[in-house]
Structures are given as C-alpha cells and as structure tokens.
C-alpha cells in the first residue's frame, strides 16, 4: 500500500522568500507524483507531475519539484514567493500500474504569504 | 469546451434525505472519478469509472452509489444522507496528460 505525507499543515512565507513544501511517499515502487494547488473555493489545478523522465520537474507559476528516490521525496519549491501563491497545496501519488487514474492525496499545506 | 462541470454548487440536506450530485465532462475522457475533501485529510477517492458501464469503488465508497451510462456523465448518489457526509465533493476526468477537476459541490447534512 502506498501513502503520502506532507510535512506541515500551514506554512507562512514572506513575499520574495523561498517557498518549500515537503512531500514524502511510501511505496515499494516509485509512483507517479503530482503537486496540485487549490485557490479558495475553487477546484484543483495541476502544478507539475513526475512520471519517469527528468527528476527535476518544472511546473507552472515558477514552481518546480525534485524527485529523490533515495529519500522517497518530492518536495515543491519556488525561489521567490508572490502574494498570489497564497493557496492550499496538495501532493498526490498514483501507482504506476494504474496510469495515474486513482490519486492518493496528502493532507495538504496551506501557504500564507506575508508582505 | 467547458471541461468538468458540477451541479449544484451548494446543497443542504437533512439526515436521511437522498440526492444526486451531477458531474459532466465534454472532453470525451473515459476515466472519471469522485473525491471528497475534508479538512486535514486531503482528497479521498469515493468511486471511479474507466468507461461507460464500468464503475468501481475507491477508498471511501460507503454511503455512495454511482453509475456511468454515458461517457459524458458520472453522477454520485447519496441514498440516505448522514452528517458524516458533510464535505466538499469533486469530480475529476482524466485526460492524456492530467486529471481535470470540477469546481466542487459543497454539501452540508444536518
């Protein structure tokens, strides 16, 4: 069975500072990995995904994530936070045998950006 | 191209009432699914479908029924609502490169 853990339910960052959101997965075989963003009262939007190509994945809005098999991690970063980055972020995994149809989500990290 | 649409946006039910949450997509995707979102728990898969006439259970299927008579529609039925089903419900449709989520239905059961 696989699981996904997001460290920190709330993160506060200053505008212009580094954003780092942590995600670890538990799976015997590296799954597909995703980061989604949810703005207030909206659905989820895909930021980026790791399938099997480059371990450093670039996404939308300046975000990127690095897959580290040895650490079973897929942390999300952005060098400089903007006020518009305030949202909830979800890490998700899907087993490779399922062609990323069934997603298992972490509990989410709420990001607050302060001026 | 509207993507994934869900109706209603908000709903209040009394315990024991039934209702259907509607989901439709116009992208001709075979794979559709329903998730519920609860604070501190992320999204959890309720039911999914790999094509018309084929459905299967996800992580939290109890209290919910689904059917898939067409490629476009994937309704979620609550036969006898319970307060534990108070949640935000998202429908998703899987394309070749990503899953597309609807805007959600916020359901309150009193």
């Amino acid at each position: 069975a696989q699981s996904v853990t997001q460290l920190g339910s709330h993160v506060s960052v200053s505008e212009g500072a580094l954003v780092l959101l942590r995600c670890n997965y538990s799976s015997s075989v590296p799954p597909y990995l995703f980061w989604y963003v949810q703005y207030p009262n909206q659905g989820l939007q895909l930021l980026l995904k790791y399938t099997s190509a480059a371990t450093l994945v670039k996404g939308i809005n300046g975000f990127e994530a690095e897959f580290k098999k040895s650490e079973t991690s897929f942390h999300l970063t952005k060098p400089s936070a903007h006020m518009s980055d305030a949202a909830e972020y979800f890490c998700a995994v899907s087993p490779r045998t399922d062609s990323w149809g069934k997603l298992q989500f972490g509990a989410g990290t709420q990001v607050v950006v302060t001026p | 191209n509207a993507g994934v649409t869900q109706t209603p946006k908000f709903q209040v039910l009394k315990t024991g009432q039934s209702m259907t949450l509607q989901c439709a997509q116009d992208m001709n995707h075979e794979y559709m699914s329903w998730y519920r979102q609860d604070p501190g728990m992320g999204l959890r898969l309720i039911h999914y479908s790999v094509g018309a006439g084929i459905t299967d259970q996800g992580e939290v299927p109890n209290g919910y029924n689904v059917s898939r008579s067409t490629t476009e529609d994937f309704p979620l039925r609550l036969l006898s609502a319970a307060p534990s089903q108070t949640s935000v419900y998202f429908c998703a449709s899987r394309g070749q490169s990503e899953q597309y989520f609807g805007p959600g239905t916020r359901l309150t059961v009193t």
Side-chain angles (χ1 to χ4, degrees):
Chain A
Q2 61 181 16
S3 65
V4 56
T5 302
Q6 291 183 239
L7 298 178
S9 59
H10 287 80
V11 169
S12 180
V13 297
S14 299
E15 192 174 18
L18 172 72
V19 179
L20 170 61
L21 305 181
R22 301 178 187 276
C23 173
N24 289 88
Y25 68 90
S26 172
S27 175
S28 57
V29 175
Y32 295 127
L33 295 152
F34 308 84
W35 276 100
Y36 284 86
V37 61
Q38 184 181 34
Y39 298 103
N41 300 313
Q42 294 188 24
L44 276 71
Q45 181 181 7
L46 180 67
L47 278 176
L48 49 81
K49 64 179 185 287
Y50 169 77
T51 52
S52 61
T55 56
L56 183 62
V57 182
K58 295 188 182 299
I60 62 172
N61 301 341
F63 284 93
E64 63 181 35
E66 185 173 10
F67 169 68
K68 292 186 177 181
K69 183 177 178 180
S70 61
E71 299 178 6
T72 61
S73 68
F74 191 56
H75 302 333
L76 181 72
T77 60
K78 182 174 181 178
S80 178
H82 295 168
M83 297 299 290
S84 60
D85 295 325
E88 189 157 22
Y89 293 78
F90 294 94
C91 181
V93 302
S94 178
R96 290 182 177 270
T97 54
D98 188 57
S99 299
W100 46 275
K102 288 183 284 186
L103 297 175
Q104 183 162 359
F105 286 84
T109 298
Q110 185 73 45
V111 172
V112 174
V113 182
T114 57
Chain B
N1 188 335
V4 180
T5 58
Q6 292 183 237
T7 56
K9 290 189 184 302
F10 302 93
Q11 183 70 48
V12 179
L13 290 179
K14 295 185 186 301
T15 298
Q17 288 184 318
S18 63
M19 80 159 294
T20 299
L21 307 185
Q22 301 292 344
C23 174
Q25 51 94 7
D26 60 359
M27 297 173 282
N28 202 33
H29 292 161
E30 294 292 332
Y31 201 120
M32 296 182 72
S33 49
W34 277 101
Y35 293 85
R36 60 176 288 173
Q37 182 180 21
D38 302 292
M41 303 187 73
L43 281 76
R44 292 178 292 169
L45 181 64
I46 305 171
H47 285 284
Y48 66 99
S49 169
V50 300
I54 306 170
T55 64
D56 205 347
Q57 297 181 349
E59 181 184 355
V60 288
N62 292 340
Y64 307 95
N65 283 348
V66 292
S67 60
R68 185 93 179 272
S69 56
T70 67
T71 298
E72 294 78 19
D73 300 299
F74 190 41
L76 178 72
R77 298 183 183 85
L78 285 69
L79 299 180
S80 179
S84 61
Q85 295 178 304
T86 293
S87 187
V88 182
Y89 292 85
F90 289 98
C91 179
S93 168
R94 191 194 76 179
Q96 288 192 344
S97 61
E98 67 178 276
Q99 289 215 30
Y100 298 86
F101 285 82
T105 294
R106 185 174 296 273
L107 175 68
T108 301
V109 183
T110 61

